[in-house]
Amino acid sequence: MFEFDQYLGFLAFLTILTIGFWLMIFLLTFVIPYWVGGAIMEMIKEKREAKKAAQNS
């Protein structure tokens, strides 16, 4: 059915596909929401500081 080099190529393909799948799951569930949440928090802090600076002057 398969020769040995075809079998190794198929295993390499499945390994790369699996690694890519879990990497996408990790990025979509943890990294991107953390990044977006941090950017929103930073934007809110900057607006608060600008409002305080405007009130003090």
Side-chain angles (χ1 to χ4, degrees), residues 10-22:
F10 181 67
L11 284 180
F13 170 74
L14 284 182
T15 302
I16 292 168
L17 184 74
T18 304
I19 290 170
F21 172 75
W22 287 113

Side-chain angles (χ1 to χ4, degrees), residues 17-46:
L17 184 74
T18 304
I19 290 170
F21 172 75
W22 287 113
L23 179 65
M24 286 300 296
I25 295 296
F26 174 71
L27 288 174
L28 290 174
T29 57
F30 295 107
V31 175
I32 293 175
Y34 182 77
W35 181 31
V36 171
I40 291 172
M41 293 284 285
E42 196 68 29
M43 187 175 62
I44 290 171
K45 283 182 186 178
E46 288 176 5

Side-chain angles (χ1 to χ4, degrees), residues 46-57:
E46 288 176 5
K47 286 185 179 181
R48 281 187 191 158
E49 290 174 4
K51 191 182 287 185
K52 282 183 183 178
Q55 285 179 348
N56 289 339
S57 58

